[in-house]
Amino acid sequence: MRYIIIGAGAVGGAIGGRLAEAGHEVALVARGAHYEALRTHGLRLMTSEGTRTHRLPTVDGPAALGELRPDDVLVLAVKTQDSEAALEAWGPAPVAGGGTAAEQLPLVCAQNGVESPRIALRRFRRVYGVCVWLPATLVEPGAVSAAGAPLTGILHLGRHPHGTDETARRIAADLEKAHFEAPVVPDVARWQYAKLLGNLANAIEAVSGVLTSEEGLALFARVRAEGEAVLAAADIAYTGEEEQKKVRDNKIRFEPFDGSERGGGSSWQSLDRGTGTIEADYLNGEIVLLGRLHGVPTPLNELLQRLANTFARERRAAGSLPVAELVRLADEAVAFVQEERAPRP
């Protein structure tokens, strides 16, 4: 199978580079300065084993790649806010022998959040969800750091909305040969919702920096508790901490190559690169949406969604809001909702 990585940034670049190292045919899809760097200099992939440069076919869309093949696998690794545009571009792409990508090819959503597989299912017949556990950073155009060791990542994989099949097992086997663990599960959404709860911290990191202080960690605990209450009200199952720990324990350690501390996650990276967009609508915003549907107040996640979007839109510096100020705003948001919901005389 040939893997076409739609969005060869941090996660997509790490997956594509590792698959190429394992001998698989890989094509990268990128845009802007990253596309130019990949085309000119190749993909520079940094792992605990060293730095390698992979010269892989790189395009900016389906037209540049030509007719797709029946054995192609599309790996969607853009941020969720960019999913619709990517699916619109790739869905109608012709496949050799007849039909389109949306009709004939498997689409694997290797993204944060839970919304992209649902968006994809409107266009693509065969959609696979992935719970992405992969510490990776787009260091600069053309360069990706994947500092996990001994495994590069753990990628739970399954059909969306549920089930498994031979294609999922073949993809998982290829990933297993490429420094990943890739359990094939019939309930991948359980893993994705568990990851979603952890990703609620992304907006805190983005606006106030990496979570190291007691104040920041305490705020995240409150934000996560809000998310857990919403999932309970919506009757949505997710894997618990013990189940996750059993699967992941000691399999991925963060091993920075220069001795530095861990940088921010995907949302922090979006602000740091000044992209103008951020994935908060599909992380904290997912909890806000479910809260509104099921009558559960979500003032903390609403605040973080709004702040993250403001920071992205106004291109404010990542981590520039002091944690103490963020906690003050959070307390105000909760107090306002409590006052609104208080019985009136």
Side-chain angles (χ1 to χ4, degrees), residues 200 204 219-228 284 300-301 304:
L200 298 180
I204 302 176
L219 175 60
F220 170 53
R222 295 165 63 191
V223 171
R224 181 187 173 99
E226 205 174 79
E228 290 173 344
N284 306 90
L300 297 176
N301 281 282
L304 290 171

Side-chain angles (χ1 to χ4, degrees), residues 184-227:
V184 177
V185 293
D187 54 354
V188 68
R190 287 179 65 243
W191 293 89
Q192 290 174 309
Y193 275 104
K195 177 77 184 307
L196 172 67
L197 290 174
N199 284 145
L200 298 180
N202 285 27
I204 302 176
E205 281 194 338
V207 301
S208 293
V210 177
L211 283 173
T212 54
S213 70
E214 288 187 11
E215 272 187 306
L217 291 169
L219 175 60
F220 170 53
R222 295 165 63 191
V223 171
R224 181 187 173 99
E226 205 174 79

Side-chain angles (χ1 to χ4, degrees), residues 1-4 25-27 65-69 71-74:
M1 296 187 290
R2 177 176 64 170
Y3 290 88
I4 300 172
E25 192 175 355
V26 174
L65 194 61
E67 193 173 48
L68 299 175
R69 304 185 329 212
D71 64 346
D72 283 339
V73 175
L74 304 182

